Amino acid sequence: MARIVQKYGGSSVAAPEQIRDLARRIVARHDAGDEIVVVVSAMGRLNSPYATDTLLSLLGGNQGSLSKRELDLLMGTGEIISAVVLSGELQKAGIASEAYSGGRAGIITDNNYTGAEVLSVDAVPLRAALREGLVPVVAGFQGRSLEGELATLGRGGSDLTAALLGEALDAEKVEIYTDVDGIMTTDPKLCGQAVTLEGISYNEVFQMADSGAKVIHKKAVEVARRAGIPLIIKNTFSEHKGTAITEYRYLNQTGKLRPITAIACRTERVQYRIEGKLVDEDFFRELAAAGVSIDIINIFPDLRAFTIDADKTGAAEAVLQKYDACYRRTDDCTQISLIGEGMTGVPGVMARILSALMKRGIEILQTADSLSTIACLISSPKTAAAVAALHQ
Ligand code: ADP
Ligand code: ASP
Ligand code: MG
């Protein structure tokens, strides 16, 4: 008998018939003797009536003076609906089940609404439910704040709920069900040549998530690594065995660590190039104080270049103007990151990346590298061509 946390993403619970199918599968697994805790996302994606983006769109693109606490009340209902509907289907299928809000499942957060940090997870309520033979269905992406309100954990946060519950309940593994066969070499929506990886290390998949790959939330990877619990990414709609995310560092055919395992993209980036002298320390401190997080930063005596999220340009420009900086701004950029634990010390990796892009006339606006990642900034309309070239 294994204790397993299963998380079903929005596409897996998009319609009532799908939820009925899921319930049948969960019952079969339960009858085979496994202890299962289920975590669900809101039903479907934008335009599905209860998807998170649809709920937000009810505000007509203008949040007025609603507080973040109130926004969380709105967003948190999507997951609550899915949890109740799936739990109802499990009950109809003849097994004992109960729907839980994140708070009732023991997840306690700070009061930082819309992006709350989880402070603790009390495993007592779910452990008691499992002892009674119940299949708890927990609303993902949410917890109870210190002041007793519903607080959400940041977009894509249901993966984090699953990993946290896996840790708190000492689960054997956490299975994340989605609409692709597993972690792929790149986003299949961007590149038809992407292939599914049999396995990948926590470190590499963390780098991917941190570089924009949406397939798994980076905090979920951190929690699973800390707890030593395998994360298994699987397709709800296929029998593919999926991708195992563990500590294991996979080797290529030549018995070496893979120099490049995957490619990830972060879109909606804006590049700034500032010419002339600046009091860097003060300038960058002020940017940080204005909530602007910077990336791919290069500093030369008379030039500094960095990128930020497109939605932070207003805040950044207020600081730039205060310093009377002479700057050039390039909108609509994408950061493409190539990730692989085996790239360190291998000569020629950067040369091959540059040549793949330059051969296709793709201009590189900036690059950065770390131990297991090389990032290139390019103009967004070239993204698909660049990913295809690099993938090849
Ligand atoms: P869910 O709603 O199930 O959480 P998400 O939309 O958050 O699903 O994540 C799944 C999506 O992640 C896929 O449909 C795919 O387009 C995207 N994706 C991005 N990078 C990758 C990758 N390297 N491997 C697989 N999927 C990826
Ligand atoms: N429904 C939430 C979102 O769309 C959380 C999740 O799906 O993980 O961000
Ligand atoms: Mg997701």
Side-chain angles (χ1 to χ4, degrees):
M1 184 181 76
R3 180 173 290 175
I4 294 161
V5 176
Q6 296 189 330
K7 176 254 170 176
Y8 292 95
S11 51
S12 310
V13 291
E17 318 79 74
Q18 264 173 264
I19 296 184
R20 273 195 287 283
D21 271 358
L22 268 192
R24 274 196 286 277
R25 286 162 50 165
I26 294 167
V27 169
R29 196 84 178 256
H30 173 78
D31 289 349
D34 285 336
E35 277 186 334
I36 302 168
V37 173
V38 182
V39 173
V40 279
S41 286
M43 293 169 68
R45 297 203 170 122
L46 183 63
N47 298 327
S48 302
Y50 313 114
T52 313
D53 287 313
T54 313
L55 297 172
L56 283 171
S57 75
L58 295 174
L59 301 175
N62 178 0
Q63 296 164 3
S65 54
L66 284 173
S67 64
K68 288 187 171 180
R69 183 190 64 76
E70 291 167 297
L71 289 178
D72 272 356
L73 275 182
L74 177 64
M75 284 197 283
T77 50
E79 271 65 17
I80 290 174
I81 292 170
S82 315
V84 176
V85 175
L86 177 56
S87 186
E89 287 300 333
L90 289 170
Q91 291 166 25
K92 282 189 232 163
I95 58 171
S97 172
E98 194 180 345
Y100 286 71
S101 65
R104 189 175 170 89
I107 297 174
I108 304 301
T109 73
D110 62 16
N111 297 335
N112 184 20
Y113 296 103
T114 71
E117 282 296 324
V118 174
L119 301 176
S120 62
V121 180
D122 175 9
V124 171
L126 292 183
R127 281 186 191 275
L130 290 175
R131 262 199 309 278
E132 287 169 28
L134 256 76
V135 175
V137 183
V138 181
F141 170 58
Q142 56 173 267
R144 181 182 297 137
S145 70
L146 289 173
E147 56 190 12
E149 296 282 339
L150 189 153
T152 65
L153 311 181
R155 298 304 304 270
S158 298
D159 297 336
L160 175 57
T161 304
L164 286 165
L165 294 181
E167 179 182 45
L169 297 167
D170 298 314
E172 186 175 290
K173 57 185 166 182
V174 173
E175 298 175 344
I176 306 277
Y177 287 87
T178 183
D179 62 351
V180 284
D181 283 343
I183 303 288
M184 304 180 75
T185 44
T186 191
D187 186 344
K189 289 188 186 118
L190 260 182
C191 174
Q193 308 307 311
V195 294
T196 306
L197 295 161
E198 184 189 338
I200 185 167
S201 67
Y202 294 119
N203 178 38
E204 284 182 329
V205 89
F206 178 86
Q207 299 297 337
M208 287 173 72
D210 197 36
S211 305
K214 192 178 153 220
V215 61
I216 178 92
H217 197 293
K218 69 175 182 177
K219 288 189 186 170
V221 182
E222 262 177 344
V223 171
R225 173 166 49 190
R226 166 175 96 196
I229 297 179
L231 284 174
I232 316 291
I233 314 293
K234 285 168 95 86
N235 194 337
T236 308
F237 310 101
S238 87
E239 291 304 314
H240 195 286
K241 73 186 194 15
T243 304
I245 305 173
T246 61
E247 204 64 76
Y248 187 76
R249 300 169 86 208
Y250 289 80
L251 306 179
N252 61 17
Q253 291 95 326
T254 60
K256 300 214 172 84
L257 283 174
R258 302 182 287 219
I260 295 177
T261 300
I263 302 172
C265 296
R266 183 182 295 288
T267 54
E268 291 172 39
R269 308 293 296 163
V270 172
Q271 184 199 43
Y272 284 97
R273 274 174 288 179
I274 308 174
E275 280 163 20
K277 304 267 178 226
L278 255 188
V279 187
D280 286 319
E281 196 195 335
D282 295 345
F283 171 74
F284 286 112
R285 195 181 304 119
E286 284 210 36
L287 270 187
V292 182
S293 163
I294 56 176
D295 220 334
I296 332 196
I297 170 160
N298 300 122
I299 298 188
F300 303 98
D302 287 318
L303 177 75
R304 55 236 7 87
F306 58 88
T307 67
I308 66 169
D309 262 341
D311 65 359
K312 294 287 181 198
T313 48
E317 278 179 30
V319 180
L320 284 160
Q321 271 146 31
K322 179 171 167 194
Y323 279 80
D324 208 11
C326 167
Y327 64 89
R328 194 130 61 93
R329 164 176 162 178
T330 308
D331 286 330
D332 203 13
C333 299
T334 293
Q335 178 180 328
I336 301 187
S337 300
L338 298 102
I339 294 130
E341 285 183 322
M343 71 170 62
T344 320
V346 177
V349 178
M350 185 57 124
R352 288 186 67 189
I353 292 171
L354 299 182
S355 114
L357 295 177
M358 285 153 119
K359 255 196 233 154
R360 278 127 185 125
I362 298 169
E363 189 187 21
I364 299 161
L365 302 173
Q366 214 179 330
T367 63
D369 70 299
S370 65
L371 264 186
S372 49
T373 304
I374 293 176
C376 299
L377 191 74
I378 61 159
S379 167
S380 293
K382 305 264 174 156
T383 303
V387 171
L390 292 167
H391 195 272
Q392 197 188 352

